[in-house]
Amino acid sequence: MAGARAAATASSAGSSASSGNPPPQEPGLGELLEEFSRTQYRAKECSGTGGSKVERIEKRCLELFGRDYCFSVIPNMNGDICGHYPRHIVFLEYESSEKEKDTFESTVQVSKLQDLIHRSKMARCRGRFVCPVILFKGKHICRSATLAGWGELYGRSGYNYFFSGGADDAWADVEDVTEEDCAVRSGDTHLFDKVRGYDIKLLRYLSVRYICDLMVENKKVKFGMNVTSSEKVDKAQRYADFTLLSIPYPGCEFFKEYKDRDYMAEGLIFNWKQDYVDAPLSIPDFLTHSLNIDWSQYQSWDLVQQTQNYLKLLLSLVNSDDDSGLLVHCISGWDRTPLFISLLRLSLWADGLIHASLKPAEILYLTVIFFFCFNFLKHITSEEFSALKTQRRKSLPARDAGFTLEDICMLRRKDRGSTTSLGSDFSLVMESSPGAAGSFTYEAVELVPAGAPTQAAWLAALSDRETRLQEVRSAFLAAYSSTVGLRAVAPSPSGAIGGLLEQFARGVGLRGISSNAL
């Protein structure tokens, strides 16, 4: 995995990838990649030359978020709330047009929210509190670290030292301890009740119902000490009112094997028999019926299938008819967590459901840069990953037999109309297909008159989603190869083209790539 952490938003784009030429790059994307692939972000160290770069990145991120949303900002200038969260934490409030931005009225009291965040931060590892990062259908999709254990609460500096193998700076800085923190720590009996109580208040404030835990452990153990915990093993059952999902997913160490295999995820299976792996997959039955996945086989899935199935699950949660939000977390919240948050953001964007005005290079600027994440986009282009919901009229007129499925497929793109605009020539009506997952069946299309003259309703062309995701992959590779660089990959034993990176380079028309280490 290659690292880069940032946030942003913008418009839609033409298909430069299909012509074989690299897509246009977002201004500053190279600087973003270079800065965050070589420097660990610390909010309180954003000064000097490095600070000016971060300021430019922050300004661009806020501008991109503002394209489609009205938002408030939670200040974190010196890492006062969390040393590894942005200095300006964006709280998306609602989607908006340009006219609405002039009359923006906040739906939240920033000072109250900031106080709740400050009180709850000790409940989570490294103070990485529950933070909303995506707004979809009025729901907050959040990220965080896992719950802090005794080792975290009673000596963060010592915990950092042991947990990182002796290098205190490898994970996080020792945060200042306030008088309020000391008062909380002094009440041994009620410590977890207090800090986790504030965490629960924040979750409820954000209307979060679903908590998805990616840890492969019940508790993180270092040198015989439980340094972190999780909601699923909270002895007092404080989180019993939430819907808890344990979906264990391998950590960053496992991705060394992915790199060693010439970046081929197919056939790469995690070893679930390791001693520290003690968290089984656990998902409430009522959430799995519609997915047609045999979850009992999860330990036999390779990295591709596991990631696909977990993403399907997360998409089904956020696309449900209730108003409940979602929290995704692993241990520290900065490998597995942003991977799935990024995949959710990109998948929903590819459907035109969030960040509707952003171009591929702009949505790339807004997402965390993990090589596996952008390679994996090729595996989620089909209908089964689309969050476009069934749209039915209350009363449908008789079907028009004048068009067949073949007629619609033969329509030129410009004649089909928009799949997202209400003013398009063809309105969209979708329903779940009884056919195989990802198949394109007659049952998936309804032809419905949408006024006079009669218009056809057609299933959104999957090629649009595929093209948008491919453009993001191409933009990433172009930016990555010109900044961080790509290492030359020897031919694989299977005789395939010299590795995934070479395939990428050929696919987007790049030549003369540097051979720096990935």
Side-chain angles (χ1 to χ4, degrees), residues 41-89:
Y41 173 79
R42 292 181 175 86
K44 70 179 183 180
E45 294 180 3
C46 295
S47 59
T49 304
S52 62
K53 291 181 181 179
V54 172
E55 288 178 1
R56 284 195 296 271
I57 292 168
E58 289 174 337
K59 182 179 179 180
R60 180 57 174 161
C61 289
L62 294 175
E63 177 187 342
L64 292 173
F65 272 121
R67 298 275 188 89
D68 298 284
Y69 299 93
C70 283
F71 61 86
S72 294
V73 173
I74 308 299
N76 183 42
M77 287 306 296
N78 296 309
D80 299 327
I81 304 177
C82 180
H84 292 82
Y85 276 1
R87 300 187 307 168
H88 304 282
I89 300 173

Side-chain angles (χ1 to χ4, degrees), residues 257-276:
E257 296 183 39
Y258 168 67
K259 181 179 179 180
D260 292 343
R261 295 176 83 249
D262 282 357
Y263 306 94
M264 298 298 291
E266 294 85 349
L268 181 57
I269 301 175
F270 180 66
N271 179 11
W272 297 96
K273 298 186 183 300
Q274 298 174 81
D275 292 341
Y276 70 95

Side-chain angles (χ1 to χ4, degrees), residues 237-343:
Q237 296 291 301
R238 299 175 184 87
Y239 294 85
D241 291 338
F242 299 89
T243 301
L244 306 180
L245 298 89
S246 175
I247 48 175
Y249 189 85
C252 59
E253 300 86 356
F254 178 66
F255 282 82
K256 182 180 184 301
E257 296 183 39
Y258 168 67
K259 181 179 179 180
D260 292 343
R261 295 176 83 249
D262 282 357
Y263 306 94
M264 298 298 291
E266 294 85 349
L268 181 57
I269 301 175
F270 180 66
N271 179 11
W272 297 96
K273 298 186 183 300
Q274 298 174 81
D275 292 341
Y276 70 95
V277 179
D278 61 357
L281 184 140
S282 177
I283 307 170
D285 291 340
F286 74 93
L287 296 176
T288 63
H289 294 319
S290 62
L291 295 176
N292 296 320
I293 296 172
D294 185 357
W295 294 98
S296 67
Q297 300 298 311
Y298 77 98
Q299 292 187 354
S300 67
W301 296 338
D302 66 11
L303 187 56
V304 171
Q305 189 175 10
Q306 186 180 21
T307 309
Q308 285 178 323
N309 289 340
Y310 283 11
L311 181 60
K312 289 178 187 177
L313 175 64
L314 295 177
L315 286 168
S316 71
L317 294 177
V318 301
N319 206 32
S320 60
D321 292 329
D322 61 27
D323 297 325
S324 303
L326 166 71
L327 169 64
V328 179
H329 76 75
C330 51
I331 297 178
S332 290
W334 54 35
D335 283 313
R336 290 164 284 190
T337 298
L339 169 63
F340 279 98
I341 290 294
S342 294
L343 289 175

Side-chain angles (χ1 to χ4, degrees), residues 122-178:
M122 283 187 62
R124 299 268 165 186
C125 178
R126 314 213 177 281
R128 294 175 66 83
F129 58 88
V130 176
C131 185
V133 288
I134 298 174
L135 185 65
F136 174 55
K137 295 170 55 175
K139 309 174 186 181
H140 289 296
I141 301 174
C142 308
R143 61 178 290 183
S144 74
T146 192
L147 295 179
W150 287 100
E152 168 87 4
L153 293 175
Y154 278 114
R156 183 161 288 168
S157 60
Y159 159 71
N160 285 337
Y161 181 84
F162 287 110
F163 190 68
S164 60
D168 195 27
D169 286 342
W171 284 79
D173 298 321
V174 179
E175 298 187 22
D176 294 333
V177 179
T178 65

